[in-house]
Amino acid sequence: MKRWPTRRWPAPHWPSVRGRARTDAGALLLTAAVVAAVVLLAGAVPALLRSAADDAVQDTVRRAGTGANVLVHADWERDDGPTGGRLRISRLADEVDDFRTRAAHTLGPDLDDALLPPIAIVHGPILRITDGNLPRTFQLSYLADELGGPEVTWIAGSAPGRAIGEQSVEVPYDGPPWPVQVGLSEADAAALDLGPGDRIPAQDGQGGEKDVRISGIYRPVDSTDPAWRLAPALLRPVPGADGVGTTRFGGLLSRESLPDARLAVDQDQLRRTVHFAPEPDALTWDATATLAGQVVKLKATSGSSAVRDGSLKWESQLDTVLRDARTQISAAFTQAAVLLAGVLTATVLVLLLAADLLVRRRTPALAAARQRGAALPDLGAELLVESTVVSLSAAAVGLVLARAVAPGVWWTWTVPVVLAGAVAGPVFGVRAAAGAGRDRRQPADPAARRRILATGRLRRAAVEATVLIAAVAAVGTLHQRGLLPVASDGGELSGDLVLPISAVTLGVLAGALVVLRLLPVGARFALRRALRSRRPLAVFGAARAATTAGRALPLLVLVSATALASFALVVGSTITRGLDDGAWSTVGADARLDVGTDAEAATPALAERIAAAPGVGQVVVARVTDAAPVFTDATLHTPRLVVVDAAAFQRLLATTPLPDAPELARLTAPGAGEVPALVRSRTGDLGTGTRLQLSHDDGPAIRLTTVGTAPSVGGAADVVIVDAEALAAAGLPAVPNTVWVTGPGAARAVSNPGVAADVVLRTEVRQAQRVAPLTAGTLRLAWTAAAVLLVLGLLGLTLAAAAGVQERWQTLSRLRTLGLRPRDARWVAAGELLPPVVVAAVCGPLLGALLAYLTFGPLALRLLTGQATAPATVLPWWLLGLVGVALVVAAAVVVPVEAALRRRDRLSEVLRAGA
């Protein structure tokens, strides 16, 4: 009776599994160590970057300061009375509270959780104190939060009250100044030498007298209360707030005196605003998209500023701040993904090499088991159980360690390493066992042998062509598509980014395959040259090198690891140099003063005083205007307009690391009514010869003509630079508002400008950018990846040498029976090992540098360095050379170690083995 084959599950032989594990415990532990180390890196880095993303969002919002606040304005209802006068509205403070509450309810739950409690502020106009010779100003302010306002202690007098006994009264428009009571801080009262019951002589901008009475002197309970930041003059005098040499004082209004303050000024001069400051600690990467969208929605539904009614008019740059943060985070995620992809690729290759070495050692045992009748599924199951236990155990250890050093673990990136560790050994082992048990002979027909050889070559060519095509497609996609945005709200990479992120890795593999093709050709050429020489050691070494040159895995590991390590070193060096260049580009000098609007008239005198300070090299003043109205035909452009002494600015650029701008010499006096200008445009459509028109309020538009490309100023993408003298000759003199200072004493010279000005120091900008969460994290990852890849390369070299050590020293031992000395045997061994190592040491760094040039533009490193354009690629040749030297030194160390381990091999055993 015919019996049909039945299916059965593989039946592993457990004693064999335990025996092989004990015999090869060292190799298995090495595999486990590699898997655990790389799983630790791959599991911790994404979690650390995710945490850094949250920190980056918070850091960006903190740096934005009040620019990230959400503001809402609303006009008052008119206070016209029935008899043609103005009514005193006693419920004015309640209206402010209702306005604040209405604004808070409009936010929505997400924005409400991300913003601090609202603070309402009512500001009066800037008044001029007429008593005394010093220019002093005064402003009425009312603060109200959910608790009523910042707490104060009245140390003299009392809180402001009603000016009259009646709560509601109608006053004529042309009546005498209406009295209003205010409180003064201790510092303000001391500076004014006034106390309770005194009056502050003040006038408005039209010379109208104001009746401001002091009811009491107060001391803040908590001077760090956020409400005080909106009106610092309520705590102490603020110098320079309203012009050069001026000092602003503030008067605190109460709920009872607020109605009087409205009657004391004109109808629309008392303005109310609610401030919502973001809570940085409550902001996370996940919430940025939702919050930005809600801010945009608020602004879209905002009332028109041209309509004088009580509708809410929203104003905020929080959405722009959050979008910038998301863009920078996306860039950091892509850069980390590129580096991690390289580390994982090198790790997989090393694991394949380790599995190949392990199978080489086990081939006799596997062949014997196969000859005794072991089925291939059973052998495969035994090897799979062993490798799976090792890989999963090592991965668990790596994930535990990752959780210990990171706020979480990211297991997605660990899958390739675990799969390689679990699958490579069984696949190679089953293949070796199948080959040992197959009784297949070479065909005697030469044509059949050629067909078999051609088939193998075609398969290899197909694999190589696939890798080359994928590498070209990946680099092309990277340049066409870029890498932004990189992550979804959950931080996972989207599928369409897999190919461009793999561009560097695929490029390295393609380059390694090209080297693999060329190395045997070079080895055979060296062998032919050696055969013509009279040096037998050279012949033996070249012969061994030609024999082993075709091994694919060792060379792939060495070239890939060194190339990827070099790429990571170039990334780290470029970011480091880019931070310095970015600080120079942002500041424009060692120090910069951005003078306030009211203090611009003092800029020339301020520059002269700074120039006389010790340690100051150059001082250049300029008028810098953002979003200047510049027209080409009917198109409006809003570039950054820089009006500067062209010759002085050119000298400044020549003495700093900033790029020189020789075209500044073309900015001479205007000819034929046109002012020459240098123009930089992000679109590149404003080339030389383009006619522009600069619009201004004091006369007809100034005609400009483009004579060259402007250098970047402050990192702006659109810049127009004109000479100050030429523009003045055309009828538009410019008052400078920016001072650039160079020299070792620049920071000290601008530390106390004496006017309302923002001081920007290059060293502080560089340090702030360097310690930014994403920049610091990416830099650490780049250096760590370079170190890990170098270690993987050295490990691959050791495994490659161990894989051929038995065959190599068996051959050398046979040569020793023919009279080869031990020292000469070491030279022959070095001749076999060194050629692929030297090729990898030379080609790997060059390949990494080439890929850096090809891919750095789309990687958007400028978002980390703070530059307007992509940073210049920096090749740290001494570090790249160190990578190559480390490989060569390791290979040189392997030879004497092998010789020492093989010193006790008996020649008689070698001869018997050969027989």
Side-chain angles (χ1 to χ4, degrees):
M1 184 178 66
K2 186 175 180 180
R3 302 183 63 182
W4 296 95
T6 58
R7 291 183 179 180
R8 70 175 183 87
W9 290 101
H13 186 245
W14 299 111
S16 298
V17 175
R18 290 190 295 269
R20 279 193 294 266
R22 284 195 299 267
T23 303
D24 299 314
L28 295 176
L29 287 176
L30 177 62
T31 300
V34 172
V35 172
V38 177
V39 165
L40 166 62
L41 181 66
V45 165
L48 290 173
L49 276 179
R50 184 61 181 276
S51 176
D54 294 341
D55 295 338
V57 171
Q58 298 167 8
D59 182 66
T60 302
V61 172
R62 288 192 183 97
R63 291 189 186 188
T66 56
N69 285 4
V70 178
L71 280 65
V72 58
H73 313 278
D75 295 322
W76 304 96
E77 293 184 2
R78 294 188 61 84
D79 56 3
D80 298 324
T83 61
R86 298 179 62 187
L87 287 175
R88 183 185 186 278
I89 303 175
S90 59
R91 295 187 65 258
L92 212 60
D94 295 332
E95 291 186 12
V96 172
D97 293 339
D98 294 341
F99 167 47
R100 186 186 65 247
T101 303
R102 181 160 56 104
H105 288 168
T106 310
L107 289 177
D110 294 326
L111 270 179
D112 188 58
D113 294 338
L115 300 177
L116 292 171
I119 300 174
I121 181 170
V122 180
H123 269 318
I126 302 298
L127 305 177
R128 181 172 57 88
I129 299 178
T130 58
D131 185 19
N133 298 324
L134 297 178
R136 296 176 294 180
T137 59
F138 188 80
Q139 187 177 33
L140 304 172
S141 298
Y142 171 74
L143 298 172
D145 54 19
E146 294 178 346
L147 301 179
E151 295 184 7
V152 297
T153 301
W154 296 96
I155 59 176
S158 62
R162 295 193 299 268
I164 60 174
E166 300 180 16
Q167 292 189 359
S168 299
V169 65
E170 183 176 357
V171 299
Y173 273 96
D174 55 355
W178 188 261
V180 56
Q181 294 185 11
V182 299
L184 287 184
S185 66
E186 282 185 285
D188 284 359
L192 292 174
D193 194 20
L194 297 175
D198 294 332
R199 296 190 179 187
I200 301 177
Q203 292 180 349
D204 59 17
Q206 289 74 37
E209 297 289 339
K210 303 299 177 184
D211 187 0
V212 181
R213 305 175 182 181
I214 302 174
S215 67
I217 310 299
Y218 64 85
R219 178 185 301 158
V221 175
D222 181 11
S223 60
T224 62
D225 192 303
W228 297 118
R229 302 174 191 170
L230 304 180
L234 294 177
L235 291 180
R236 64 188 62 85
V238 179
D242 301 305
V244 182
T246 64
T247 303
R248 178 187 292 181
F249 298 85
L252 181 64
L253 298 170
S254 67
R255 298 180 65 89
E256 289 75 16
S257 64
L258 180 60
D260 297 321
R262 188 175 185 192
L263 291 179
V265 298
D266 291 342
Q267 181 81 249
D268 299 324
Q269 287 185 331
L270 200 67
R271 301 188 177 275
R272 56 178 178 172
T273 303
V274 175
H275 290 251
F276 295 89
E279 174 59 56
D281 294 335
L283 299 177
T284 62
W285 157 247
D286 291 333
T288 51
T290 302
L291 295 179
Q294 291 184 351
V295 173
V296 171
K297 183 178 179 181
L298 282 178
K299 293 194 291 185
T301 58
S302 176
S304 174
S305 58
V307 179
R308 310 295 296 182
D309 58 11
S311 62
L312 300 181
K313 302 173 180 63
W314 295 92
E315 173 190 348
S316 179
Q317 294 298 318
L318 180 60
D319 55 329
T320 303
V321 172
L322 294 179
R323 280 198 301 268
D324 292 343
R326 286 183 62 84
T327 302
Q328 188 181 31
I329 292 167
S330 296
F333 280 171
T334 56
Q335 293 144 13
V338 169
L339 294 173
L340 277 180
V343 173
L344 296 183
T345 300
T347 304
V348 169
L349 291 175
V350 169
L351 291 176
L352 293 178
L353 188 57
D356 179 67
L357 171 62
L358 185 60
V359 169
R360 284 174 182 268
R361 293 182 176 180
R362 290 178 169 180
T363 297
L366 293 175
R370 181 67 174 149
Q371 291 169 1
R372 288 196 299 267
L376 288 180
D378 296 341
L379 287 176
E382 293 173 6
L383 297 176
L384 184 62
V385 169
E386 176 190 78
S387 60
T388 302
V389 170
V390 171
S391 295
L392 292 181
S393 301
V397 173
L399 291 176
V400 169
L401 294 176
R403 186 61 183 87
V405 300
V409 292
W410 219 262
W411 60 269
T412 308
W413 285 94
T414 66
V415 173
V417 177
V418 177
L419 284 179
V423 175
V427 171
F428 288 166
V430 170
R431 181 181 177 185
R438 184 185 301 122
D439 188 15
R440 181 178 179 181
R441 298 180 180 180
Q442 284 282 69
D445 184 10
R449 290 198 299 269
R450 286 194 297 270
R451 277 197 303 272
I452 294 175
L453 183 61
T455 301
R457 290 175 177 174
L458 285 175
R459 290 173 178 171
R460 176 178 177 180
V463 173
E464 292 174 345
T466 301
V467 175
L468 288 173
I469 293 173
V472 173
V475 174
T477 305
L478 177 64
H479 280 271
Q480 291 181 0
R481 186 204 181 283
L483 290 173
L484 299 176
V486 67
S488 65
D489 290 340
E492 294 286 349
L493 297 177
S494 55
D496 59 337
L497 289 171
V498 173
L499 188 60
I501 283 175
S502 306
V504 174
T505 300
L506 290 173
V508 167
L509 291 177
L513 290 176
V514 172
V515 174
L516 182 61
R517 276 286 187 179
L518 297 178
L519 182 60
V521 177
R524 289 193 295 269
F525 176 77
L527 178 59
R528 287 195 299 269
R529 298 283 297 182
L531 289 173
R532 299 177 185 177
S533 68
R534 299 181 179 180
R535 299 173 182 173
L537 294 181
V539 175
F540 296 150
R544 289 298 307 163
T547 302
T548 60
R551 294 177 179 172
L553 266 180
L555 189 63
L556 285 177
V557 171
L558 293 178
V559 175
S560 300
T562 53
L564 291 170
S566 301
F567 178 84
L569 290 174
V570 175
V571 170
S573 301
T574 300
I575 293 177
T576 301
R577 177 73 62 82
L579 290 173
D580 295 334
D581 296 341
W584 277 106
S585 176
T586 300
V587 180
D590 288 310
R592 188 185 76 226
L593 277 177
D594 297 328
V595 183
T597 303
D598 298 325
E600 291 175 355
T603 303
L606 176 63
E608 292 180 2
R609 179 168 59 84
I610 293 175
V616 173
Q618 293 192 55
V619 177
V620 177
V621 298
R623 174 77 184 185
V624 179
T625 305
D626 289 328
V630 176
F631 292 87
T632 57
D633 296 332
T635 304
L636 172 63
H637 301 270
T638 54
R640 173 172 291 176
L641 177 64
V642 181
V643 184
V644 65
D645 183 347
F649 192 45
Q650 187 175 5
R651 289 193 301 270
L652 175 72
L653 296 179
T655 57
T656 64
L658 293 169
D660 294 336
E663 293 178 328
L664 285 168
R666 303 178 184 177
L667 301 182
T668 57
E674 293 185 347
V675 178
L678 299 183
V679 179
R680 170 181 289 270
S681 173
R682 74 182 69 196
T683 58
D685 57 350
L686 301 179
T688 301
T690 304
R691 262 57 178 183
L692 308 173
Q693 289 188 351
L694 174 62
S695 177
H696 64 100
D697 298 332
D698 299 330
I702 304 296
R703 291 184 296 169
L704 310 177
T705 181
T706 305
V707 297
T709 302
S712 178
V713 178
D718 298 318
V719 179
V720 174
I721 300 180
V722 295
D723 183 69
E725 183 179 351
L727 190 64
L732 184 59
V735 179
N737 61 358
T738 301
V739 183
W740 288 301
V741 186
T742 64
R748 179 177 299 179
V750 302
S751 59
N752 186 19
V755 298
D758 293 330
V759 179
V760 184
L761 301 180
R762 179 181 58 83
T763 54
E764 293 182 354
V765 171
R766 179 185 57 191
Q767 183 61 21
Q769 193 70 21
R770 187 185 299 274
V771 300
L774 291 177
T775 305
T778 305
L779 264 178
R780 284 194 295 267
L781 177 60
W783 301 128
T784 303
V788 171
L789 287 165
L790 180 58
V791 172
L792 289 174
L794 296 177
L795 180 58
L797 170 62
T798 305
L799 293 174
V805 64
Q806 185 172 0
E807 178 185 354
R808 178 168 54 253
W809 285 96
Q810 190 176 58
T811 302
L812 294 177
S813 298
R814 292 171 185 171
L815 291 176
R816 284 180 58 194
T817 63
L818 301 178
L820 192 69
R821 293 176 298 180
R823 183 180 63 182
D824 297 336
R826 290 194 294 271
W827 280 110
V828 174
E832 176 185 347
L833 290 176
L834 282 178
V837 173
V838 172
V839 168
V842 174
C843 296
L846 293 178
L847 182 59
L850 174 62
L851 287 170
Y853 273 113
L854 292 177
T855 61
F856 266 20
L859 280 183
L861 294 177
R862 62 179 179 82
L863 296 176
L864 295 183
T865 60
Q867 296 173 269
T869 58
T873 303
V874 178
L875 299 179
W877 289 114
W878 70 275
L879 288 176
L880 302 183
L882 188 61
V883 172
V885 170
L887 279 184
V888 175
V889 170
V893 171
V894 166
V895 174
V897 171
E898 286 185 353
L901 295 175
R902 296 283 175 173
R903 182 180 302 171
R904 296 184 180 181
D905 289 353
R906 296 182 180 181
L907 297 182
S908 58
E909 296 177 355
V910 174
L911 292 176
R912 284 196 296 270

